[in-house]
Amino acid sequence: MRTLISSAFVSLDGVVEAPGGEPGYRNSGWTFKDMEFLPEAYGIKGREQEEASAMLLGRVSYESFSAVWPDMEDFARYKEMPKYVVSTTLTEDGLVDNWGETTILRSLDEVAALKETEGGPIIMHGSASLNRALSDAGLIDRYHLLVYPLLLGAGKRLFSGTDKDAQKLKLVEHEAYANGTQLNVFDVVR
């Protein structure tokens, strides 16, 4: 079974919306706007590219990332990696042709089936709505969280507000950086 890893930039109060400057959100760009940049805090991002064998995205994140990542040297490894987009509305003609093999999945059941295939870890970036659905369905195995010392209030959250049984996580790696950002890597305990 393949490991599904959710990788997110998250504020201390759980907001994941528009960390890189995406338009339409009041605090857009919060990961760099009011934060000192420390390259070492982003070391996990290079590791993710080396360790992952596929990428999973929701439609909104796919549309945002596919417009820029294919030509970015920082994300070169992702260009050759198979990508899976979970969407009920995206069509084949909505896929870009310069970012490698991309498959559209239509349901969480298809994500569960993908996890049953042979191969290495699957990394998921952004994709707040998809993250909430996958988490609630028990399909995420690991979380890579870069937690920023910010309270953003309103915004899309990493986790849903669904009333459910507690899900235990095991901290397997952590690091605190001089700017207050923290890396927390959690495995889901089954």
Side-chain angles (χ1 to χ4, degrees):
M1 178 182 254
R2 298 171 84 170
T3 301
L4 179 56
I5 302 167
S6 171
S7 177
F9 297 129
V10 60
S11 69
L12 191 57
D13 57 349
V15 174
V16 293
E17 187 167 354
E22 299 80 359
Y25 175 61
R26 176 183 185 167
N27 293 310
S28 184
W30 51 269
T31 59
F32 61 85
K33 203 165 49 173
D34 297 316
M35 295 295 303
E36 174 190 0
F37 177 76
L38 295 178
E40 60 270 24
Y42 298 93
I44 187 75
K45 296 298 158 195
R47 253 183 35 213
E48 288 170 346
Q49 286 185 72
E50 294 305 314
E51 294 171 1
S53 65
M55 187 185 328
L56 182 73
L57 298 164
R59 181 192 51 82
V60 173
S61 291
Y62 173 79
E63 289 173 346
S64 293
F65 296 159
S66 68
V68 249
W69 280 19
D71 298 321
M72 291 181 72
E73 195 171 309
D74 288 345
F75 301 111
R77 173 90 167 75
Y78 287 138
K79 189 167 185 166
E80 62 198 48
M81 191 178 293
K83 284 160 276 310
Y84 299 88
V85 182
V86 182
S87 174
T88 58
T89 58
L90 185 66
T91 59
E92 293 291 329
D93 63 340
L95 299 176
V96 299
D97 58 6
N98 65 335
W99 206 23
E101 174 192 344
T102 304
T103 303
I104 300 171
L105 304 178
R106 299 292 181 198
S107 68
L108 297 184
D109 288 339
E110 290 187 34
V111 175
L114 172 64
K115 285 185 60 177
E116 295 293 331
T117 63
E118 293 293 319
I122 303 163
I123 191 80
M124 178 177 57
H125 292 285
S127 309
S129 297
L130 179 59
N131 190 92
R132 290 189 296 272
L134 291 170
S135 179
D136 286 349
L139 292 173
I140 296 176
D141 303 297
R142 175 173 275 197
Y143 293 94
H144 290 180
L145 306 177
L146 273 174
V147 182
Y148 289 76
L150 298 168
L151 300 175
L152 299 174
K156 292 178 185 174
R157 305 279 176 195
L158 182 61
F159 299 104
S160 78
T162 302
D163 186 15
K164 61 182 179 182
D165 291 338
Q167 185 175 47
K168 186 172 167 89
L169 304 175
K170 179 181 178 186
L171 183 66
V172 295
E173 182 181 346
H174 61 90
E175 186 78 36
Y177 303 100
N179 65 358
T181 302
Q182 296 180 17
L183 168 66
N184 292 296
V185 176
F186 293 100
D187 280 344
V188 175
V189 176
R190 306 238 188 258

